[in-house]
Amino acid sequence: MFTEGQLVIYGGEGVCRIAAVGPSSLSGTDKTKLYYTLTPLTRSGTVLTPVDTKVLMRPILSRQEAEDFIAQLPQLPPEEPESRSMRLLKEFYQQIVTSYDCRRMAGLIRSAVRRRKHALRTGRKVSQMDERYLRRAENALYGELAAALDLPEEEVLPYIRRTCPQWPE
């Protein structure tokens, strides 16, 4: 069970702070259950979820884990889809982004940036799906790293580049 004040990754919200743990005061909720009241770091408002939720919820990386992860970026393999079918590609990207698996999101970022550079070099159009999921993976990954490293989100990429100069732009 998580505690008040703890930072967690929650479902589609990304990084959230646990504002409270306890029964809900909202009408229509089970008064015998415990709920987390979450405050997303990237938007205003709150999220109420049962303590026993089935939605992905995990603690964010520690500062040391984030620093170790950034140091390992050059060795992480790219995430390459097995199929170029638009439906399967979308499912592949969606599965990675909703998993909030930092290693896989970094691999997606690496491969999407490589495909973008290749398209621009060869005079082709840049895939809008690649771009959309690239942004989602960057927002999720850099949001978690920002919270773990106690940095503003816009400073995460320069921080990564100082540590790992070959990280793709």
Side-chain angles (χ1 to χ4, degrees), residues 19-161:
V21 181
S24 170
S25 59
L26 294 176
S27 63
T29 56
D30 183 346
K31 303 300 182 211
T32 64
K33 287 182 91 170
L34 291 178
Y35 292 85
Y36 292 120
T37 302
L38 306 173
T39 306
L41 296 190
T42 58
R43 68 169 184 85
S44 61
T46 59
V47 175
L48 187 69
T49 188
V51 168
D52 61 355
T53 183
K54 301 288 187 245
V55 175
L56 170 77
M57 192 169 187
R58 66 166 175 81
I60 66 165
L61 298 174
S62 69
R63 180 178 196 87
Q64 187 61 55
E65 288 169 331
E67 289 170 352
D68 292 346
F69 171 76
I70 291 169
Q72 293 172 7
L73 283 173
Q75 289 81 42
L76 295 180
E79 283 285 339
E80 294 293 345
E82 291 181 14
S83 170
R84 291 306 295 174
S85 150
M86 289 306 250
R87 184 181 61 77
L88 294 176
L89 186 59
K90 182 177 181 181
E91 288 173 10
F92 176 77
Y93 285 158
Q94 184 70 19
Q95 192 267 330
I96 291 172
V97 172
T98 58
S99 74
Y100 281 91
D101 180 319
C102 294
R103 297 174 66 84
R104 294 198 68 202
M105 287 190 295
L108 188 153
I109 291 167
R110 172 173 277 146
S111 61
V113 169
R114 190 179 71 242
R115 282 192 298 279
R116 176 202 294 152
K117 286 181 178 179
H118 177 72
L120 293 172
R121 229 183 7 257
T122 59
R124 294 193 174 122
K125 287 178 107 176
V126 176
S127 163
Q128 293 305 305
M129 188 179 309
D130 280 357
E131 290 298 303
R132 182 172 45 253
Y133 282 97
L134 170 61
R135 279 190 304 278
R136 286 184 60 192
E138 286 175 332
N139 289 340
L141 179 61
Y142 299 161
E144 181 169 1
L145 292 174
L149 297 168
D150 197 24
L151 291 172
E153 201 165 329
E154 63 273 5
E155 290 181 25
V156 171
L157 194 53
Y159 179 90
I160 290 172
R161 291 235 168 79

